[in-house]
Amino acid sequence: MLAYIIRRLLYAIPILIGVNLITFALFFVVNTPDDVARVHLGDKYLNEEAVANWKAARGYDKPLIYNPGASGFDKFQQTIFFEKSAKLFVFDFGAADDGRDIGYDIRQRMWPSLAIAIPSLIIGLLINVTVAMMLAFFRASYIDIVGVIAGVTLMSISSMFYIIGGQYLISKSLHLVPISGYDEGLSAIKFLVLPIIVGLIGGIGSGTRWYRTIFLEEINRDYVRTARAKGLFESIVLFKHVLKNAMIPILTGVVVILPILFMGSLVTESFFGIPGLGSYVIDAIQAQDFAIVRAMVFLGSVLYIVGLILTDISYTLVDPRVRLS
Amino acid sequence: MDAKVTTANAIEQQEVLLRVDNLKTQFHTSRGILRAVDGISFEVRKGETFALLGESGCGKSMTALSIMRLVPQPVGRIVEGSVNIGDTDLLQLSEVDMRAMRGGRIAMIFQEPQSSLNPVLTVGDQIIESVLCHTSLKRAQAKARVLELLDAVGIPDPARRYKEYPHQLSGGMKQRVMIAIALAGEPELLIADEPTTALDVTIQAQVLELLNDLQRQTGMAMLFITHDLGVVSNIADRIAVMYAGQIVEQAARDDFFGSPRHPYTRKLFESLPRANKRDESLAVIEGNVPSLFTQFSGCRFVDRCDYAWNACHQSVPRWLGDEESGVRCHRFDETVDQSDNEPVEKTSQVKTQVSPSGAIILDVDMLKVHFPIQKGLLKRTVGHVKAVDGVSLKIAEGRTLALVGESGCGKTTVGKGILQLLKPTSGKVDFNNQDLVTLDKKTMRGLRSDIQIIFQDPYSSMNPRMMVKDIIAEGMIAQKTVATRAERDSRIDELLEQVGLPVDSKQRYPHEFSGGQRQRICIARALAVKPKLIICDEPTSALDVSVQAQILNLLKELQQTHGLAYLFITHDLSVVEYLAHDVAVMYLGRIVEHGPVNTVFNKPAHPYTEALLSAAPTLDDESQRDIIRLEGDLPSPATPPSGCYFNPRCPKVMDECRRVYPNKVELNSAHSVCCHLH
Amino acid sequence: MNAFGYQFAPLWTDWLVYFLVFSGIGFFLYARRHEHLARPWRQVVRRPLAMSAALVLLVYIAIGLADSIHLQKQRVIANSDAVIFSSEKISLLDIVLTTLRVQEEKTYSAPFAIQSYAKETIELPDGGIVREFPRLVYGGIHLDQASDKTADIVAKTIRAIAESVAIFVLLIVILNFFLARYYQNSFGRQLNLLKLGDADLPWRSLLLMGFVLTLVGLVLIRLAPYYHVLGTDKVGKDVLYLSLKSIRTGLVIGSLTTLFVLPFALSLGIMAGYFRGRVDDVIQYLYTTLSSIPGVLLIAASVLMIDVYIQNNAEQFATIADRADARLLFLCLILGITGWVGLCRLLRGEALKLREIDYIQASQAFGVSHTRILSRHILPNVMHIILITLVLDFSGLVLAEAVLSYIGVGVDPSMISWGNMINGARLEMAREPVVWWSLVAAFIFMFLLVLCANLFADSVRDAFDPRAY
């Protein structure tokens, strides 16, 4: 098992190198640091000196990948690539354009993100599986048809409508919870309820639809016929035989996004003013702070790859047919 | 089998257990109403084995599912009739009461043990579920009962198997587990839906014997559904033949095999390939089973029947006989005017024959195809699956060599290795004195017109997106065998005619044809490039018996008119007997015996050949036959046993066999064997 | 083209839209001749829900297409014979909607309002000053008194209803006439069949949906010139006009993206599956790497960089419309690059399965070349997967546009889109009374498009998915 995990981690290295190269090309080759500096400074203060100062203050005044002016290893180390991209591998995210430590900010901001993401995921999974199971149980009846059409309708509505509608209805009209904001500790709950509810409603359409398809696919398999031929109750057939098989794709689908939960939801967090990583990214985008965006791209990729590895491992745990080789 | 004969009389007096009366099951689809079961009636008595025989799609499985009330919902519906177990009409029971019946008084086993077991539950879990459901045993007692059941179905080491998952068992073992599940509720009736069709002959023999033994011990009745006449003659007490949703004939076993009455049944017997029919072409049932969407106004068999006359087209034949036996045919009906009934004699035309020169055209020497097992980041090779491990064979012009073996023995890989569709690991494939293995791509491409292949599955062997004419033309275009479009078109017409299809077929798509017709198109496609050798990879095993005969006849005729050589890959020994000149028996990647068909079949030299021959169910008198039961399953080709590969299963195993692989021994100029006995 | 004083001046995305339309027509003609494509389509065409959805989609597409024909107006310059064209590009839709386009108020006004949303300081003739809600410049200007409003709206609506009923009846008669001729039925009998819904096509549903659409259309045509039916936005633009203009943006994002997805996904996917080995390794590495970057972040990063590029190279773009168009095109490209992985993975899996299938092996046994096997055997047999994926992705892309525009990495802020409408209006939720109309209009227009696309896509999937057989 350990050997397998190590091997999978080794697989991740070339992929992370690829991600790193892509981000490097995107941030430093498409536009040179000079271009970025000019945009940041705006037309008003634009002169050579200002650009040079701006670059120097943020460490962008070095050559891209090769520094002929330095000696020895410094030829490679005194470069933007080494300073800004290669260091990401050891999770050294450096400083944002406004000078704050990105690593520190990430550690601070991941908790509010998780506080929304984890309850949403767990409750959402429970609701969606239950509803999908119900639709599968009543398959091809009116309950199923109405459920499917309701699902399509729900998933055709923009997620922002749920957010704005929720804020208007629950916060503004009914004054049940604050519209937005965040607090430390338990008092955070009143700020979290609405985003979580909105997230659940927004996800229920596509979630149940997807799970229903999985259930129906399983229900048509031969082993279900065997189970029925044993004289088992339909509920046992569904909840023991079908559910256990269907949970394999469902669980592994959930596991793959587990690590990404750290990243939070961009839209939700920004609408509700939650100081998580999602709103961190949005703020960075609006401030055109490329250092933060770059760090988050890399972090997101690492988390995604961790998710893939966890998925493989979870397969071996829930599916007896898959054994680690 | 003599046990069967003596019990036959005893069964006469037994009371009726299952009575099916005028059962009709329909499917409401977008294409209309499919009448899968269209008014069938029969009885099964306590302790007997009643066989329901029929070709695919005749409604026999649907009959079984209707009895269990497991017809697929919501499209399928039982619309009429009654199904009585004792005094209870199953169709009137509430769903709750019916559940107690399923797995309780009636149990069922299915065709595909592979998919019929739940992959994520342990074997023990799946059996104990049934035990708990139908007995009052507590969990601990139930577990003991499960172990007992596993033991009863012949699974070694039940305590260990209890905790294993289905994928850890072989196909035969899985079917035994299915049987154990069925036995858990101590059923009075066991419905077995093609329980051995997915299994190899040697495993089939094991399972049939097990079912026989269990029946003798428990006294349960069995409704045995199959398409295989051989299996029926092995196991059944009474037989009903189904055709297009109806029972057309029913009789006790001896009567049935002694004097079949319905023209369909008789033709079925005649179309079975056998050694004594070698020199004649097989009787065939022309055409195809009618679609069950049709509303019949006459006999359902009329279009394919040699005896049909006006009456058969005009009125539906009634059931002549009682619950015991009978037939549904106007020929036996005195109330129908028989005056204008004259059988139509079908004359077979004689074609010009090519006399083969007898020159060897294919000489395969020590062919090996190994698949590497790769592991890790750098794809290190940690072992090999030795699918083909040193196969040598020769085929002469105009001759047929049959390559026989069980599934997984590597026979298909041999075919693909010869064609270079898979790159051989080593060995030589000499075709007309050119070694195909070492040829460069371009020369090989040019030679491809000489060797062609016909596949097993007529459904996947043609691109569903192409018209028949494009399918046939593909080879001609790639090989540039014809110069102009006009020439190509006339060649396509000629080919379609040769394989017995109407010329207008070329404008149609494959899905518009039945399995047998598709196989004809595949043959036409192969013939298009004028090959000298055709590799036939189980070309008839996906077809029904009646259609199989058509294809075998066609292949035989083409061989005679074109001087073709065949490498005929099959697991069906009766086909070999009928069609092949020579036979090579393969076991786990190697050929164990090679020789002329007559010699090998009459005097098999290898214990494996002997076992294969004895395990294959035949219609011949069973009483003198001694079936050699092979224990266990085919080992994995990744880790073959030391010494002779067959030694763990061999009834005549010696010490030497466990140490060294036997050398090839030439028994005479044509017959060779690899066995320490010789 | 230089008729009516206009010159044809298409944008980049226009050309691609035309290309897409012609490929669509080409695909239609191709599918007609190929049974395996025509059969599932016939199945789709028979479904009432799918066809009703398709009718709504057609209306959207027609509006989007009218908005994709861009023109420059001829400017008349005194004392000169030279023909000079305005640098402003307006579309055919703009010309049709000229009334809506030019009737701009000062700021917000509610739907059907005749007074502004905000109080203004007004100097009275006598020199005094009052703060009150001024009358709108255009909305309800034809009314003498504010109290006439309801009666006027009702009268106009009734007229529209009467007209649409008339059109509906006319439509039934014409359709029934042709159907009766086609099926060789008498007029009365055919009418009865039509009423029972007994036909190859779901004419009844189509007619009903057509009636609803005509009704809505006519009501708007009657009312929109006199009132701001959906109100006005912060700078006084008519919200109905903005909503209609947004249709093109949504459609372009949903459809042009596929243009960039297809070449990557198709070629790389089937090559990886068919050739396996090293080719497969490289392609798999490529898409695993790309897909491991969270999509939104990759889009955000790319759009940010293209922003910097555009700002540094402003001289390359003649007009604001050109710049917005370039950014729209680029957004589609980025969405395509992040979106091809899913389809590529599907196609690779399918090609892996297909290459082992007997008919491919048979072709190899004939020595058929790889390119021919790929184009004649693999490609036609993965067509349905491509089609299903594309129609299913469409609605997701339309929704994504709104989210991306909200985050600030969507279309250009100067481009009219539902995302920008929502983004602009959401801050006004805090106002009292609430300015809800922009939001609601954008959501409804988007919802209708996405819902219809989803319903249609579902039918397409059911018809084409081989598992359904």
Side-chain angles (χ1 to χ4, degrees):
Chain A
M1 186 71 164
L2 192 68
Y4 174 79
I5 295 173
I6 291 172
R7 206 163 56 235
R8 284 304 317 250
L9 286 173
L10 289 178
Y11 269 117
I13 291 175
I15 294 175
L16 284 177
I17 292 176
V19 170
N20 207 316
L21 289 179
I22 292 175
T23 44
F24 178 75
L26 207 55
F27 283 98
F28 296 108
V29 181
V30 175
N31 294 294
T32 61
D34 285 18
D35 294 332
V36 180
R38 274 197 289 275
V39 170
H40 265 266
L41 292 168
D43 289 340
K44 227 189 266 176
Y45 308 101
L46 194 60
N47 58 52
E48 285 303 311
E49 199 189 5
V51 169
N53 283 340
W54 189 90
K55 277 161 58 182
R58 289 162 183 80
Y60 295 149
D61 53 349
K62 296 176 180 118
L64 280 183
I65 44 174
Y66 180 72
N67 190 345
S71 58
F73 279 124
D74 280 357
K75 278 184 198 272
F76 300 98
Q77 288 194 356
Q78 295 292 321
T79 58
I80 291 181
F81 179 72
F82 185 83
E83 292 281 323
K84 301 291 172 191
S85 277
K87 278 188 175 172
L88 292 174
F89 277 110
V90 289
F91 297 102
D92 178 354
F93 297 116
D97 284 351
D98 63 4
R100 290 172 63 94
D101 180 10
I102 299 177
Y104 175 80
D105 275 352
I106 290 176
R107 280 191 297 279
Q108 290 296 307
R109 282 171 164 263
M110 61 188 236
W111 299 113
S113 288
L114 285 178
I116 294 184
I118 289 180
S120 304
L121 180 84
I122 295 171
I123 303 172
L125 189 67
L126 286 177
I127 294 180
N128 292 349
V129 165
T130 317
V131 175
M133 202 74 188
M134 196 187 76
L135 295 182
F137 187 84
F138 293 108
R139 61 195 169 280
S141 73
Y142 278 104
I143 297 179
D144 186 26
I145 294 169
V146 169
V148 169
I149 291 181
V152 177
T153 311
L154 283 175
M155 65 182 270
S156 300
I157 298 172
S158 169
S159 56
M160 288 194 284
F161 178 81
Y162 292 116
I163 296 176
I164 294 173
Q167 281 182 332
Y168 180 75
L169 189 74
I170 296 182
S171 301
K172 197 159 181 222
S173 303
L174 302 175
H175 298 290
L176 293 179
V177 290
I179 288 188
S180 67
Y182 193 70
D183 205 346
E184 292 299 315
L186 280 178
S187 48
I189 291 177
K190 66 173 182 288
F191 292 103
L192 294 178
V193 173
L194 188 57
I196 291 173
I197 291 177
V198 164
L200 292 179
I201 296 173
I204 201 167
S206 51
T208 50
R209 198 172 129 96
W210 167 235
Y211 295 155
R212 176 182 168 275
T213 323
I214 294 177
F215 285 132
L216 287 186
E217 218 162 89
E218 288 295 329
I219 276 177
N220 288 323
R221 293 196 196 276
D222 284 353
Y223 69 82
V224 177
R225 192 180 58 188
T226 310
R228 293 207 181 107
K230 283 182 201 169
L232 301 179
F233 281 91
E234 185 70 11
S235 51
I236 293 182
V237 173
L238 278 183
F239 282 97
K240 187 169 172 188
H241 289 259
V242 173
L243 187 62
K244 216 163 170 187
N245 279 280
M247 277 327 264
I248 295 173
I250 293 177
L251 272 185
T252 45
V254 167
V255 168
V256 86
I257 59 162
L258 273 181
I260 300 281
L261 292 182
F262 280 98
M263 306 288 288
S265 157
L266 270 64
V267 180
T268 311
E269 286 183 13
S270 126
F271 264 104
F272 289 101
I274 310 280
L277 284 178
S279 51
Y280 188 50
V281 173
I282 294 222
D283 294 345
I285 290 172
Q286 268 143 17
Q288 300 207 325
D289 192 329
F290 298 140
I292 295 176
V293 177
R294 203 170 55 229
M296 294 303 284
V297 165
F298 188 77
L299 183 65
S301 310
V302 172
L303 292 173
Y304 178 77
I305 291 166
V306 171
L308 286 185
I309 297 173
L310 288 180
T311 309
D312 282 352
I313 294 171
S314 67
Y315 256 120
T316 65
L317 296 179
V318 292
D319 190 340
R321 285 164 295 185
V322 181
R323 285 275 167 267
L324 295 179
S325 53
Chain B
M1 273 310 123
D2 32 12
K4 282 268 155 198
V5 180
T6 47
T7 53
N9 288 328
I11 286 167
E12 288 286 305
Q13 283 89 48
Q14 284 284 5
E15 54 185 303
V16 171
L17 174 68
L18 171 76
R19 176 179 286 124
V20 176
D21 194 30
N22 194 28
L23 180 69
K24 288 189 181 175
T25 303
Q26 299 182 342
F27 283 80
H28 293 257
T29 71
S30 55
R31 286 175 57 200
I33 298 172
L34 180 100
R35 294 168 191 84
V37 181
D38 204 13
I40 76 167
S41 312
F42 61 88
E43 290 175 357
V44 181
R45 293 200 198 80
K46 285 192 173 161
E48 79 167 344
T49 302
F50 185 87
L52 206 50
L53 178 84
E55 295 179 291
S56 55
C58 72
K60 54 192 193 303
S61 291
M62 240 359 110
T63 309
L65 290 178
S66 302
I67 296 170
M68 295 290 278
R69 276 179 47 190
L70 285 175
V71 177
Q73 298 290 342
V75 280
R77 212 176 305 154
I78 301 170
V79 291
E80 218 182 303
S82 64
V83 177
N84 285 290
I85 279 273
D87 296 327
T88 6
D89 185 351
L90 298 184
L91 301 187
Q92 304 302 325
L93 287 183
S94 70
E95 187 56 31
V96 177
D97 293 334
M98 187 61 211
R99 251 182 233 131
M101 281 288 175
R102 286 189 207 121
R105 291 183 76 181
I106 325 168
M108 184 161 175
I109 56 177
F110 301 94
Q111 174 171 354
E112 286 290 344
Q114 203 68 33
S115 59
S116 294
L117 289 171
N118 191 331
V120 300
L121 295 179
T122 61
V123 164
D125 257 355
Q126 299 190 52
I127 307 175
I128 206 167
E129 210 174 42
S130 199
V131 174
L132 291 172
C133 191
H134 296 288
T135 61
S136 51
L137 295 179
K138 292 276 173 320
R139 203 166 176 93
Q141 296 164 297
K143 188 177 174 187
R145 170 79 181 131
V146 172
L147 295 177
E148 207 178 291
L149 282 167
L150 282 172
D151 192 48
V153 295
I155 290 183
D157 200 358
R160 183 167 65 91
R161 295 295 185 189
Y162 185 93
K163 291 196 272 310
E164 288 193 342
Y165 289 93
H167 70 98
Q168 290 165 291
L169 306 177
S170 69
M173 284 294 169
K174 280 187 203 135
Q175 197 58 296
R176 286 171 191 267
V177 171
M178 283 296 294
I179 296 172
I181 292 175
L183 292 180
E186 295 173 0
E188 293 165 58
L189 173 70
L190 176 68
I191 302 177
D193 185 3
E194 304 251 18
T196 59
T197 309
L199 307 176
D200 281 314
V201 266
T202 56
I203 311 294
Q204 164 168 297
Q206 293 172 5
V207 171
L208 289 180
E209 190 189 18
L210 171 69
L211 286 173
N212 243 330
D213 290 347
L214 289 171
Q215 190 179 27
R216 213 171 309 143
Q217 288 160 22
T218 61
M220 65 182 176
M222 201 153 46
L223 174 59
F224 198 96
I225 291 165
T226 182
H227 69 282
D228 191 330
L229 277 169
V231 171
V232 168
S233 88
N234 258 347
I235 199 162
D237 297 310
R238 285 190 306 128
I239 294 142
V241 181
M242 267 188 95
Y243 186 81
Q246 281 189 330
I247 290 181
V248 293
E249 179 168 1
Q250 185 180 330
R253 177 179 174 274
D254 291 342
D255 297 338
F256 183 78
F257 286 96
S259 54
R261 298 165 75 194
H262 197 280
Y264 171 64
T265 324
R266 296 171 67 155
K267 271 282 170 150
L268 272 188
F269 280 107
E270 287 167 25
S271 61
L272 276 187
R274 269 194 272 188
N276 52 14
K277 296 180 192 161
R278 280 187 72 98
D279 301 325
E280 47 195 286
S281 56
L282 291 171
V284 297
I285 307 180
E286 298 293 343
N288 297 290
V289 181
S291 156
L292 292 174
F293 285 106
T294 30
Q295 282 268 32
F296 297 97
S297 58
C299 174
R300 288 159 197 234
F301 188 58
V302 62
D303 292 330
R304 308 175 73 189
C305 184
D306 290 346
Y307 303 97
W309 74 102
N310 283 342
C312 302
H313 286 280
Q314 281 150 7
S315 63
V316 177
R318 61 194 179 96
W319 182 246
L320 305 162
D322 47 21
E323 297 88 45
E324 287 299 308
S325 64
V327 65
R328 194 186 286 278
C329 178
H330 284 325
R331 288 183 72 214
F332 304 94
D333 193 345
E334 283 134 26
T335 61
V336 175
D337 178 22
Q338 304 273 346
S339 61
D340 56 348
N341 169 14
E342 269 178 39
V344 189
E345 273 303 313
K346 301 242 164 94
T347 49
S348 58
Q349 65 240 67
V350 184
K351 299 247 169 120
T352 48
Q353 295 210 351
V354 176
S355 49
S357 64
I360 300 290
I361 60 164
L362 181 75
D363 186 351
V364 177
D365 188 36
M366 287 307 284
L367 180 72
K368 290 187 182 179
V369 184
H370 293 182
F371 300 109
I373 307 169
Q374 290 175 328
K375 256 189 170 178
L377 185 63
L378 301 169
K379 304 216 168 134
R380 273 174 307 126
T381 304
V382 293
H384 283 97
V385 176
K386 296 170 180 164
V388 178
D389 197 22
V391 161
S392 306
L393 43 84
K394 289 187 176 73
I395 303 176
E397 202 181 69
R399 304 270 289 182
T400 302
L401 171 71
L403 190 59
V404 178
E406 292 178 286
S407 56
C409 75
K411 52 191 193 300
T412 297
T413 314
V414 172
K416 291 191 175 164
I418 292 172
L419 270 170
Q420 308 298 308
L421 291 177
L422 289 171
K423 203 74 203 149
T425 315
S426 68
K428 278 187 2 180
V429 178
D430 273 351
F431 183 77
N432 278 340
N433 300 320
Q434 274 181 296
D435 184 5
L436 304 184
V437 178
T438 53
L439 276 187
D440 63 290
K441 270 187 181 161
K442 211 176 150 207
T443 332
M444 183 63 218
R445 192 164 276 182
L447 269 178
R448 287 205 175 275
S449 60
D450 287 344
I451 318 177
Q452 272 307 309
I453 181 163
I454 301 168
F455 295 94
Q456 167 174 5
D457 182 2
Y459 291 86
S460 66
S461 54
M462 279 182 288
N463 187 343
R465 313 299 194 213
M466 276 162 81
M467 272 197 275
V468 168
K469 65 169 181 190
D470 296 324
I471 289 170
I472 297 177
E474 187 175 34
M476 291 192 267
I477 296 170
Q479 289 293 327
K480 304 186 178 68
T481 50
V482 287
T484 63
R485 178 177 280 265
E487 214 178 309
R488 196 161 73 214
D489 284 348
S490 68
R491 176 95 178 110
I492 291 171
D493 294 354
E494 185 190 329
L495 285 163
L496 283 172
E497 211 165 299
Q498 269 182 22
V499 298
L501 285 174
V503 171
D504 62 6
S505 316
K506 63 181 175 181
Q507 302 286 1
R508 290 157 65 190
Y509 286 91
H511 71 90
E512 298 172 62
F513 296 90
S514 69
Q517 289 171 321
R518 283 166 189 239
Q519 211 57 302
R520 287 170 190 270
I521 300 171
C522 290
I523 294 172
R525 170 174 66 183
L527 286 178
V529 291
K530 300 189 174 148
K532 300 192 177 76
L533 168 71
I534 299 183
I535 295 171
C536 306
D537 189 358
E538 306 242 21
T540 60
S541 57
L543 306 175
D544 284 316
V545 196
S546 67
V547 183
Q548 166 177 304
Q550 298 172 5
I551 299 298
L552 290 179
N553 279 347
L554 178 64
L555 286 173
K556 207 161 190 174
E557 186 191 306
L558 289 170
Q559 181 167 56
Q560 282 158 4
T561 49
H562 291 66
L564 292 170
Y566 293 138
L567 175 63
F568 201 94
I569 298 166
T570 184
H571 68 275
D572 188 338
L573 296 169
S574 57
V575 173
V576 175
E577 254 180 314
Y578 168 71
L579 193 75
H581 303 99
D582 303 293
V583 60
V585 181
M586 218 175 148
Y587 188 80
L588 212 63
R590 293 187 176 176
I591 286 177
V592 295
E593 186 166 2
H594 187 309
V597 167
N598 287 333
T599 330
V600 173
F601 274 47
N602 293 332
K603 284 184 66 184
H606 197 280
Y608 177 63
T609 318
E610 237 176 308
L612 263 189
L613 286 168
S614 76
T618 58
L619 306 187
D620 306 322
D621 196 0
E622 293 289 323
S623 45
Q624 296 127 30
R625 211 157 63 101
D626 216 1
I627 296 182
I628 304 167
R629 311 275 182 210
L630 284 187
E631 296 304 321
D633 301 296
L634 198 70
S636 156
T639 49
S642 62
C644 174
Y645 289 173
F646 188 56
N647 84 67
R649 301 175 74 191
C650 184
K652 298 177 183 168
V653 62
M654 302 177 294
D655 267 353
E656 205 185 352
C657 304
R658 300 202 174 89
R659 287 199 310 272
V660 277
Y661 195 88
N663 285 325
K664 191 156 122 181
V665 182
E666 303 275 349
L667 297 176
N668 58 46
S669 62
H671 191 183
S672 62
V673 65
C674 295
C675 182
H676 288 304
L677 287 171
H678 298 276
Chain C
M1 194 161 59
N2 187 4
F4 310 110
Y6 285 101
Q7 173 181 266
F8 187 48
L11 300 168
W12 272 103
T13 46
D14 289 341
W15 285 118
L16 291 170
V17 167
Y18 305 151
F19 175 73
L20 215 59
V21 170
F22 284 114
S23 338
I25 295 170
F27 177 76
F28 173 75
L29 294 176
Y30 176 85
R32 264 176 68 126
R33 288 191 296 114
H34 288 78
E35 183 57 20
H36 63 277
L37 289 173
R39 188 160 23 106
W41 277 121
R42 280 200 293 273
Q43 214 173 314
V44 174
V45 159
R46 272 196 287 271
R47 297 202 176 184
L49 199 59
M51 287 321 280
S52 307
L55 197 61
V56 179
L57 285 180
L58 270 182
V59 173
Y60 270 87
I61 290 172
I63 295 173
L65 281 181
D67 204 8
S68 293
I69 300 170
H70 281 92
L71 305 165
Q72 282 172 327
K73 196 174 170 120
Q74 191 172 343
R75 240 184 5 205
V76 184
I77 293 174
N79 310 327
S80 165
D81 286 343
V83 179
I84 294 179
F85 291 95
S86 157
S87 64
E88 189 198 9
K89 291 177 177 174
I90 56 171
S91 73
L92 209 57
L93 184 76
D94 288 326
I95 296 170
V96 173
L97 300 177
T98 304
T99 346
L100 292 184
R101 186 162 55 98
V102 298
Q103 293 187 351
E104 283 185 24
E105 307 293 343
K106 285 209 188 79
T107 181
Y108 290 116
S109 70
F112 291 109
I114 57 173
Q115 284 172 321
S116 178
Y117 169 84
K119 275 189 178 164
E120 254 175 57
T121 311
I122 292 176
E123 239 177 285
L124 296 174
D126 59 5
I129 291 174
V130 284
R131 283 186 61 79
E132 62 162 25
F133 298 106
R135 279 289 288 260
L136 293 178
V137 187
Y138 296 99
I141 199 69
H142 63 294
L143 299 174
D144 296 332
Q145 280 180 315
S147 53
D148 295 343
K149 190 174 89 173
T150 317
D152 184 55
I153 292 173
V154 169
K156 289 192 158 68
T157 309
I158 288 174
R159 183 175 164 199
I161 292 173
E163 284 167 339
S164 49
V165 168
I167 292 178
F168 181 57
V169 171
L170 197 68
L171 209 64
I172 292 178
V173 171
I174 295 173
L175 177 71
N176 196 57
F177 174 74
F178 282 107
L179 283 180
R181 262 185 46 174
Y182 183 78
Y183 291 107
Q184 316 244 320
N185 281 332
S186 74
F187 191 83
R189 188 179 139 69
Q190 185 63 43
L191 198 63
N192 214 19
L193 287 176
L194 201 61
K195 207 167 70 190
L196 294 170
D198 185 19
D200 295 341
L201 285 176
W203 289 117
R204 212 168 39 160
S205 313
L206 280 176
L207 280 170
L208 277 177
M209 186 46 99
F211 174 67
V212 172
L213 288 173
T214 344
L215 182 65
V216 173
L218 276 169
V219 168
L220 289 179
I221 287 173
R222 288 293 159 223
L223 289 172
Y226 303 100
Y227 302 95
H228 298 290
V229 177
L230 297 175
T232 55
D233 75 347
K234 191 171 189 173
V235 293
K237 281 192 177 152
D238 189 277
V239 172
L240 176 62
Y241 171 72
L242 295 178
S243 305
L244 290 173
K245 284 288 280 182
S246 299
I247 289 176
R248 175 179 188 269
T249 315
L251 288 179
V252 163
I253 294 220
S255 56
L256 280 197
T257 301
T258 64
L259 215 57
F260 297 110
V261 166
L262 267 188
F264 290 109
L266 190 60
S267 55
L268 295 182
I270 62 178
M271 264 164 47
Y274 182 73
F275 290 114
R276 299 196 302 191
R278 288 274 164 257
V279 179
D280 188 22
D281 289 344
V282 170
I283 293 172
Q284 272 205 68
Y285 169 72
L286 205 66
Y287 73 57
T288 318
T289 306
L290 213 49
S291 70
S292 70
I293 305 176
V296 186
L297 285 173
L298 184 58
I299 295 167
S302 312
V303 173
L304 280 181
M305 290 331 286
I306 208 68
D307 263 359
V308 171
Y309 180 84
I310 289 176
Q311 286 182 40
N312 276 306
N313 299 281
E315 68 284 354
Q316 291 182 10
F317 306 99
T319 62
I320 294 176
D322 281 322
R323 199 187 69 196
D325 188 62
R327 186 163 158 169
L328 176 66
L329 188 60
F330 187 77
L331 185 64
C332 292
L333 178 72
I334 291 292
L335 285 169
I337 289 174
T338 50
W340 65 274
V341 173
L343 181 59
C344 184
R345 203 176 271 155
L346 275 180
L347 291 177
R348 174 181 169 272
E350 195 64 19
L352 268 178
K353 260 187 267 164
L354 283 175
R355 83 184 296 279
E356 298 300 329
I357 218 161
D358 290 344
Y359 58 81
I360 307 277
Q361 301 259 308
S363 299
Q364 287 171 346
F366 280 124
V368 178
S369 66
H370 290 314
T371 35
R372 213 175 152 80
I373 290 180
L374 284 175
S375 64
R376 298 266 292 177
H377 293 291
I378 308 256
L379 186 61
N381 282 292
V382 297
M383 247 348 205
H384 64 281
I385 297 182
I386 297 174
L387 196 73
I388 293 170
T389 316
L390 293 190
V391 291
L392 283 177
D393 281 355
F394 174 83
S395 50
L397 287 167
V398 175
L399 289 176
E401 184 272 324
V403 171
L404 291 177
S405 295
Y406 163 71
I407 297 174
V409 293
V411 296
D412 194 85
S414 71
M415 179 161 255
I416 301 171
S417 83
W418 292 314
N420 281 338
M421 281 171 73
I422 295 169
N423 197 18
R426 69 173 187 101
L427 294 171
E428 310 301 332
M429 289 297 286
R431 287 202 185 207
E432 205 60 54
V434 176
V435 180
W436 49 269
W437 45 89
S438 279
L439 274 178
V440 170
F443 279 130
I444 288 179
F445 270 80
M446 198 157 65
F447 168 69
L448 271 182
L449 175 62
V450 173
L451 179 66
C452 290
N454 275 334
L455 290 174
F456 187 69
D458 268 7
S459 295
V460 170
R461 191 199 47 202
D462 287 351
F464 278 89
D465 197 337
R467 270 178 303 186
Y469 293 135

